[in-house]
Amino acid sequence: MHAIVVGGGIGGLATAIGLGRRGWDVTVLERQPRLGAIGAGLSLWPNALRALDWLGIGAAVEAAGGRMPERSGMRGADGRYLSRVDMTGHRLVVVHRADLHEILAGALPASVTVRTGVDVTTVDSLDADLVVGADGIRSAVRARYAPNIRIRDSGQVSWRAIVPDDGGLTSGGETVGPRGWRFGAAPAGRRGIYWYVAAPGPLRTGTPQEQLQELRERLGGWHDPIPGLLAATDPAALLHHPLQDLHPVAPMRFGDRVALVGDAAHAMTPNLGQGACQALEDAVTLAALAPDLGRYAALREPRVRRIVDRSWQMGRLVGAKGRLAGAVVRTAARLLPDRAALSSALAVTEWEPPRPEAVTP
Ligand SMILES: Cc1cc2nc3c(=O)[nH]c(=O)nc-3n(C[C@H](O)[C@H](O)[C@H](O)COP(=O)(O)OP(=O)(O)OC[C@H]3O[C@@H](n4cnc5c(N)ncnc54)[C@H](O)[C@@H]3O)c2cc1C
């Protein structure tokens, strides 16, 4: 059986590893001249790590990433905890995107061929028993079969960067400040500390230096180590993106031969840190169940729909720029018992790969 996977990102490479391990011949078509990724950190929750275990690389990814500090939770800009989460005993890794890519590429079995520099524009000419669209939020495969699915803009933007780790980060989680501004940071292994800011407003058009200056002014009075992390950031390392998702979520299969994985089907806002985690769940589920695309879609569609919605709602709540909305979020977080905060953070991560007896040999 031969599969063509369009896109050599996280979802595409993971699908290729899984299918290859189950005896498929796989061709990956990637438009970039070489495999790899720029980017910053990615939080990988227990569900993603279970998917990576299934692919045989969970331990390698954990070793490359950084562990979220056990003391975590939501804080106000003055540093006071609004809710506390103790991550002791929970698997949560923050890994640099380039490190994850390298490990995925290194795990491709011999039955997988990667062709880079191939921009797929005509999907109908792809001849294989299975065609997988893993080509991201602007998927050509999705556009061919589900042209009605639109990119939805949240009205919020993000900045991300990695800075050298000076050991000053002793707690994790997110800080919510006034007017919908948010900050989070976590160690990302040997690469240093990963930080992000999310805020309402348009994509900025100024230089990275000017954008960093805006962040330093806006968050300069927030608790440590936030001003220090921003001061240590090299403008050349700053990434700036709009926060978007797909609405509605696309069907995840078209007939018996075409399936979608990852952002191609269900790009989501990053408020739950689940986009890549869900791409990995898709990859493992598809690899386990192919060629039965009906079971694949039946398992995946309801789950990703819930997570996309939840992530969108979360963004609207914590990113609302009105003063009253901010006060409501902070009060609700303060009233939340610690155990409820933990189970809310972990709720979407309760997922297991399809059991071996559920897998068609
Ligand atoms: C600000 C931000 C923070 C995030 N943080 C997290 C996080 O902490 N945790 C998490 O789990 N997720 C996070 N995500 C989401 C995560 O980045 C994505 O969900 C994930 O990268 C999706 O992987 P993918 O393989 O589906 O798509 P992509 O990474 O977009 O890969 C698609 C690949 O297909 C290739 N391609 C596209 N079109 C074609 C074509 N026509 N022909 C050939 N090749 C093509 C592209 O070059 C690319 O290599 C975040 C996203 C953002 C924007």
Side-chain angles (χ1 to χ4, degrees), residues 7-316:
I10 294 165
L13 292 183
T15 304
I17 298 170
L19 288 172
R21 285 167 67 110
R22 291 211 51 241
W24 289 68
D25 284 323
V26 184
T27 306
V28 177
L29 305 177
E30 166 56 46
R31 78 154 50 124
Q32 297 298 330
R34 67 189 64 86
L35 285 186
I38 50 163
L42 275 177
S43 49
L44 295 178
W45 293 81
N47 51 324
L49 293 166
R50 273 179 231 121
L52 290 164
D53 287 341
W54 197 91
L55 297 171
I57 51 175
V61 173
E62 277 190 277
R67 278 216 159 266
M68 180 70 90
E70 282 156 3
R71 212 154 53 102
S72 189
M74 188 184 276
R75 301 167 82 173
D78 60 4
R80 266 187 300 177
Y81 276 94
L82 306 171
S83 68
R84 284 176 192 273
V85 170
D86 180 359
M87 293 303 295
T88 309
H90 293 282
R91 275 174 103 193
L92 172 59
V93 168
V94 178
V95 67
H96 195 283
R97 200 179 277 265
D99 290 338
L100 176 59
H101 253 259
E102 203 175 300
I103 294 168
L104 287 165
L108 290 169
S111 54
V112 177
T113 306
V114 178
R115 291 177 52 207
T116 52
V118 181
D119 189 1
V120 173
T121 49
T122 339
V123 177
D124 291 334
S125 61
L126 300 174
D127 185 19
D129 302 295
L130 172 64
V131 173
V132 181
D135 46 348
I137 188 168
R138 288 179 179 76
S139 166
V141 180
R142 185 190 71 241
R144 160 68 182 82
Y145 294 100
N148 56 322
I149 308 294
R150 296 268 177 267
I151 295 176
R152 175 169 61 163
D153 199 283
S154 70
Q156 299 175 16
V157 293
S158 72
W159 290 267
R160 294 174 290 165
I162 300 264
V163 298
D165 188 351
D166 65 358
L169 190 71
T170 52
S171 63
E174 194 161 83
T175 299
V176 289
R179 304 197 181 282
W181 282 68
R182 293 173 276 154
F183 181 96
R190 69 188 164 91
R191 305 278 188 159
I193 302 284
Y194 162 58
W195 66 253
Y196 66 85
V197 171
L203 206 58
R204 306 299 196 266
T205 51
T207 63
Q209 181 67 58
E210 288 164 347
Q211 294 179 32
L212 200 51
Q213 192 51 35
E214 181 188 350
L215 302 185
R216 286 172 181 157
E217 281 165 17
R218 179 71 78 151
L219 279 65
W222 289 27
H223 67 81
D224 285 334
I226 297 172
L229 291 171
L230 293 174
T233 302
D234 174 358
L238 194 67
L239 299 172
H240 182 42
H241 288 102
L243 301 186
Q244 303 171 318
D245 72 4
L246 285 182
H247 190 72
V249 166
M252 294 182 74
R253 69 129 172 184
F254 305 98
D256 294 332
R257 208 180 63 92
V258 179
L260 297 179
V261 301
D263 279 13
H266 51 68
M268 58 187 76
T269 52
N271 303 307
L272 297 175
Q274 275 289 326
C277 301
Q278 291 306 309
L280 291 166
E281 286 191 17
D282 293 343
V284 161
T285 308
L286 180 60
L289 301 179
D292 186 346
L293 301 190
R295 285 174 70 200
Y296 165 68
L299 273 180
R300 296 304 301 153
E301 286 173 1
R303 175 161 166 79
V304 294
R305 219 176 282 131
R306 272 198 308 275
I307 295 173
V308 169
D309 282 351
R310 204 163 152 179
S311 193
W312 181 264
Q313 296 306 340
M314 169 85 91
R316 285 177 66 91

